[in-house]
Amino acid sequence: MSERIINVLSNANYESRKTTKKLIQKLKENNFTPVTKVHPNAELTITVGGDGAFIKAVNRSHFSETPIVGINTGHLGFFQEVDPNNVDQFIADYLDKNYHIEPTYLIGAEIFTKNRSFFLHAVNEIVLKAQNSKVIHMNIFINHTHLEKFSGDGMMVSTPSGSTGYNLSAGGSIVHPSIKALAMTPLAPISNQAYRSMTSTIVLPGEHIITLIPEKRYANSNLLLVDGQEFTYNQLKKINLRIADKHVNRLRIAEQNYWDIIKSKFL
Ligand code: NAP
Ligand code: MN
């Protein structure tokens, strides 16, 4: 029989390291081969930590389709569904195939600078802001139709599963993860006699393309937040965003209901 390799990606917290040690031992007892980096032939990735650990693990595995599940040693752990005390039960469920795979939508962004273009992906959200806490002015198009000239802290585009993160804090709506949609939420939009920005979230079909074009003076002073990580670009011309063709496959244990999770994590 071939090896059953499982990636175990942990953050560095004491609690996570302790859980990881226990997990690795138990996986070995069940004839799995746990590895602590991303192995191309792994059948599963287990991430140990909070939501940040989940996002990082998705990044480290290059948004691969290998199923991924999280053990929550973080604070909120919206993505991390296994309790560290239930590792035995989790392994038993996994062996019994008592789970389902839930494809999770990602954002795909195409970034255009003066000389090149490239793609990025995000699990939660992408935000275009100005450096140094300045107001940014940008033109926003949906499917090539000009929607508005936006002025404010920034514009956030969130996935359904990211909608409960930064998007929710910024007043955006919770979008059920089965809906192939993007939520576009303004950050501190300015709406006055000088600048008139849309102040509400827009939820749009995942196939629609959002185009953000920063005004020229922000071409060299922009800040892009990709799942909370900062990037800056020289000569940023344009960003196109939509639901990506790729998705992440979350391994979910049978009975967990989205609305129970919402209630237990947010209310
Ligand atoms: P972090 O500072 O630990 O994240 C802030 C909080 O957001 C944490 O409690 C985190 O859960 C939670 N979170 C992350 N993704 C979520 C989701 N999809 N639904 C509900 N809550 C979620 O940083 P991080 O762990 O590296 O996470 C990066 C994310 O933080 C970003 O993608 C963004 O969504 C979020 N964020 C939020 C704000 C805000 O609300 N004002 C500002 C910046 C970033 P854990 O405790 O389990 O880590
Ligand atoms: Mn975190």
Side-chain angles (χ1 to χ4, degrees):
M1 214 180 93
S2 63
E3 267 192 317
R4 300 188 67 181
I5 300 165
I6 295 184
N7 300 324
V8 178
L9 305 180
S10 174
N11 68 18
N13 296 348
Y14 174 72
E15 196 56 37
S16 304
R17 291 205 310 262
K18 209 171 74 179
T19 301
T20 297
K21 208 171 150 192
K22 185 172 82 178
L23 173 68
I24 285 179
Q25 188 197 327
K26 293 192 168 173
L27 288 172
K28 284 181 177 161
E29 285 166 14
N30 286 281
N31 300 319
F32 290 105
T33 306
V35 294
T36 53
K37 53 183 175 223
V38 178
H39 192 291
N41 299 329
E43 63 179 51
L44 176 69
T45 295
I46 304 176
T47 158
V48 183
D51 289 320
F54 179 88
I55 291 165
K56 205 178 268 172
V58 171
N59 252 284
R60 280 180 64 191
S61 43
H62 304 288
F63 299 88
S64 90
E65 308 230 319
T66 308
I68 180 165
V69 65
I71 299 178
N72 185 29
T73 54
H75 296 280
L76 185 72
F78 182 77
F79 287 112
Q80 301 291 79
E81 70 174 77
V82 179
D83 187 286
N85 298 314
N86 297 341
V87 166
D88 287 313
Q89 186 57 48
F90 165 70
I91 294 176
D93 282 337
Y94 185 66
L95 284 166
D96 291 348
K97 296 197 161 50
N98 182 22
Y99 59 76
H100 63 279
I101 299 293
E102 185 179 290
T104 298
Y105 296 116
L106 299 168
I107 297 180
E110 195 176 8
I111 315 288
F112 296 84
T113 66
K114 187 162 181 242
N115 299 317
R116 63 187 194 116
S117 71
F118 52 93
F119 285 93
L120 284 178
H121 288 92
V123 176
N124 275 342
E125 77 284 293
I126 294 183
V127 185
L128 178 61
K129 308 178 67 168
Q131 287 175 25
N132 306 317
S133 307
K134 299 276 196 223
V135 169
I136 188 169
H137 304 277
M138 67 178 97
N139 278 297
I140 300 182
F141 297 77
I142 297 182
N143 284 346
H144 309 294
T145 298
H146 184 256
L147 179 72
E148 63 169 332
K149 182 161 161 198
F150 170 86
S151 301
D153 279 6
M155 188 52 83
M156 165 159 40
V157 180
S158 160
T159 61
S161 52
S163 67
T164 46
Y166 201 171
N167 171 72
L168 188 64
S169 312
S173 305
I174 294 177
V175 180
H176 191 278
S178 66
I179 303 173
K180 187 178 182 181
L182 290 171
M184 181 169 91
T185 298
L187 297 181
I190 303 177
S191 186
N192 59 24
Q193 295 289 341
Y195 303 110
R196 194 168 298 275
S197 312
M198 185 83 83
T199 56
S200 72
T201 298
I202 296 178
V203 177
L204 61 157
E207 298 79 17
H208 286 204
I209 298 172
I210 298 171
T211 302
L212 307 179
I213 302 187
E215 274 194 349
K216 256 206 175 98
R217 60 189 142 140
Y218 301 97
N220 294 315
S221 63
N222 54 80
L223 184 63
L224 203 67
L225 297 179
V226 181
D227 287 338
Q229 237 200 304
E230 294 185 351
F231 296 89
T232 57
Y233 300 104
N234 272 327
Q235 312 252 32
L236 178 71
K237 296 288 182 202
K238 177 169 92 170
I239 304 176
N240 285 336
L241 302 122
R242 64 177 185 86
I243 291 289
D245 297 328
K246 278 195 205 192
H247 51 259
V248 160
N249 289 313
R250 289 180 66 195
L251 184 131
R252 311 296 310 274
I253 298 149
E255 325 75 68
Q256 277 195 327
N257 173 301
Y258 182 76
W259 302 115
D260 282 337
I261 297 172
I262 293 295
K263 179 163 179 166
S264 68
K265 300 282 184 190
F266 296 98
L267 294 167

